[in-house]
Amino acid sequence: MHPEVEKFRERSVRARDMGFGLVIIAALLWVWCGVLLIMPYEVKTGPDTLSQKCAARLFTDEGTANEGRLEDACADERDWPELLAVLGASLPISVVGSALITYGSLSIRMSKHAVALAGFRESAAREKEEKEVGKKED
């Protein structure tokens, strides 16, 4: 195989693998957001390390810090905008990762297809030459 074809395939594999890495990072951000939403947590409420147990943000009926409740350490610690920011950060990462996976996979397949077509053309040219040589000998 031609060295340029090998370099092209290596770049395509690298792009595809980078895409998989970015999609994994985006998935980890989703998992982290899920953990923050589902798991109960504790908040330190004073300098003497007193802590307050808080219910999971997804399962609480209490208001958030955005509603203006004063002195609600639980709502101040994990509010919805911060959790949604994690998901917002995962969106461009997953889009770029998906695009790189698509680009890399498609490039690899097209390269293999082009090599197969070149092989078919060479074999067709050889067969044509053999037929012409066979006709000249007769």
Side-chain angles (χ1 to χ4, degrees), residues 22-118:
L22 288 174
V23 168
I24 288 171
I25 290 171
L28 289 174
L29 286 172
W30 274 84
V31 168
W32 182 35
C33 183
V35 166
L36 291 176
L37 283 173
I38 294 173
M39 299 298 294
Y41 56 100
E42 290 186 11
V43 176
K44 292 183 181 179
T45 57
D48 53 354
T49 65
L50 291 175
S51 63
Q52 176 182 355
K53 292 194 180 226
C54 302
R57 290 306 298 154
L58 190 61
F59 304 122
T60 185
D61 290 332
E62 298 175 9
T64 66
N66 290 336
E67 291 178 358
R69 289 184 66 191
L70 298 175
E71 302 299 324
D72 188 5
C74 290
D76 289 340
E77 181 68 22
R78 286 192 189 166
D79 200 9
W80 288 104
E82 289 89 5
L83 297 173
L84 292 177
V86 173
L87 291 181
S90 72
L91 182 65
I93 294 171
S94 61
V95 168
V96 170
S98 299
L100 284 173
I101 290 171
T102 303
Y103 165 75
S105 299
L106 184 63
S107 296
I108 292 168
R109 290 183 72 186
M110 292 303 294
S111 172
K112 288 179 180 179
H113 179 70
V115 168
L117 283 179

Side-chain angles (χ1 to χ4, degrees), residues 119-137:
F120 289 143
R121 286 184 186 139
E122 286 179 12
S123 65
R126 256 188 260 123
E127 287 178 11
K128 186 176 180 182
E129 286 179 16
E130 289 173 1
K131 285 182 183 178
E132 289 176 1
V133 170
K135 285 182 181 178
K136 288 181 182 178
E137 291 178 357

